[in-house]
Amino acid sequence: MRTTRDRIRHAISFEIIGLALVTPLGAWAFHAPVNEIGVVALVGATLATVWNYVFNLAFDHALLRTRGDVRKTLWLRLVHAGLFELGLLVLLMPFIAWYLGVSLIQALLMDVSFAGFYVVYAFVFNWAYDLVFPLPAEREMRAGEAGGA
């Protein structure tokens, strides 16, 4: 299992990099002012950061309880990213509609577009994060392999 400090580093780095990418892309895609998309992205990132911590903790506990292990296969990474984005979509759509003064259908389309970006981004980011910051057991295993070679 990851430590609280590691989970916080993961969540914050995920959101900072995501904001830097999604704000200008969203402004361009929706022909909206950068500052309006920036506010939506910032509120979304804040909500997503909290959701990220809660969801990942719950997901890892569920894996530990059902499989006895928190390592993720390719399939589990896809399920993980999809469930995360679905939950965030439900949480964020009403804010987008209210703040941008658009219908719930328009907010849904915008939110789905953001979610589509973030599904791909989450998959790539989480895989890279696990490579850069492996679980303690994986670090020990890699160190043992390097020492025994």
Side-chain angles (χ1 to χ4, degrees), residues 10 14 56 77 80 121-131:
H10 174 273
F14 179 89
N56 284 319
R77 288 183 186 284
H80 176 266
Y121 171 65
F123 178 81
V124 172
F125 179 90
N126 286 313
W127 195 343
Y129 189 89
D130 287 349
L131 292 173

Side-chain angles (χ1 to χ4, degrees), residues 50-117:
V50 173
W51 176 236
N52 190 343
Y53 180 83
V54 170
F55 179 80
N56 284 319
L57 184 62
F59 196 89
D60 282 355
H61 277 286
L63 286 179
L64 197 57
R65 190 173 45 255
T66 60
R67 296 174 63 229
D69 192 337
V70 296
R71 288 177 290 175
K72 297 170 187 76
T73 62
L74 176 61
W75 173 247
L76 274 175
R77 288 183 186 284
L78 291 169
V79 168
H80 176 266
L83 288 175
F84 175 85
E85 291 303 327
L86 182 62
L88 188 58
L89 181 99
V90 169
L91 295 170
L92 192 55
M93 190 177 68
F95 170 76
I96 293 172
W98 169 77
Y99 184 75
L100 296 178
V102 298
S103 70
L104 284 175
I105 296 298
Q106 289 171 307
L108 175 64
L109 293 174
M110 292 179 83
D111 206 353
V112 166
S113 297
F114 282 119
F117 166 82

